[in-house]
Amino acid sequence: MTAGSSKVDDPVKAYIGIGANLGDARGQVQRAILQLGKLADTSLTAQSSLFRTAPLDAGGDDYINAVACVATRLSAHALLKELQRIELDFGRERPYQNAPRTLDLDLLLYGQSTIADEVLTLPHPRMTQRAFVLIPLLQIDPFIVIPNHGPAHQFAPQVADQVISKA
């Protein structure tokens, strides 16, 4: 990949957290997963079950959450832009932090990359603290390793008090 390029030579495995708690949350998450598989230079390779969780650090209805895995030739930043475009297509608004949402797409992992710039932080900075990310992620890949953190399964006991159930 050249500097500033929007594509990489070989496909990268990326994991995307998906959530919604406004409107038809279940349908929106399912449709968002389908949209991920339609992205240019990207294929959907795995998806978790749908899970129901209470909002963390916010009010509102329960969330429907999932994690999807894609193989993509898009750069991490280009993939993030596509995720934000999909959110907007689903009517996403950001009136305040942790506001209820029609769709939330978080780039959790992009291969073994670590990125920290003004636009993107990878691995996702709070993924080890959220059952709604860890449980679906571990369902897809029980042995996944989070760069600079270690095996994801070691964080599961730390989120055991967060209620999560299959939706």
Side-chain angles (χ1 to χ4, degrees), residues 8-108:
V8 296
D9 295 329
D10 295 317
V12 174
K13 186 184 281 191
Y15 290 87
I16 299 159
I18 307 160
N21 76 332
L22 289 177
D24 176 16
R26 173 186 279 277
Q28 287 160 184
V29 168
Q30 291 170 328
R31 287 188 299 278
I33 291 169
L34 293 175
Q35 290 301 311
L36 294 174
K38 294 178 182 178
L39 291 176
D41 299 303
T42 301
S43 61
L44 179 67
T45 61
Q47 67 186 67
S48 72
S49 299
L50 301 184
F51 291 88
R52 179 177 300 281
T53 60
L56 282 182
D57 302 323
D61 293 338
D62 284 354
Y63 276 85
I64 300 298
N65 296 101
V67 169
C69 180
V70 298
T72 186
R73 284 193 164 89
L74 297 175
S75 70
H77 286 86
L79 180 56
L80 177 64
K81 283 184 181 178
E82 288 299 310
L83 298 180
Q84 292 171 338
R85 181 191 56 75
I86 292 170
E87 286 179 338
L88 289 175
D89 289 349
F90 277 69
R92 171 76 189 262
E93 295 178 1
R94 299 173 190 264
Y96 54 91
Q97 186 173 358
N98 296 326
R101 49 202 70 157
T102 55
L103 183 65
D104 186 29
L105 298 174
D106 288 329
L107 183 53
L108 304 172

Side-chain angles (χ1 to χ4, degrees), residues 111-133:
Q112 292 298 305
S113 296
T114 57
I115 299 173
D117 61 30
E118 65 281 351
V119 178
L120 180 60
T121 302
L122 289 173
H124 190 284
R126 293 173 302 282
M127 67 181 290
T128 61
Q129 303 164 9
R130 297 174 167 175
F132 65 83
V133 172

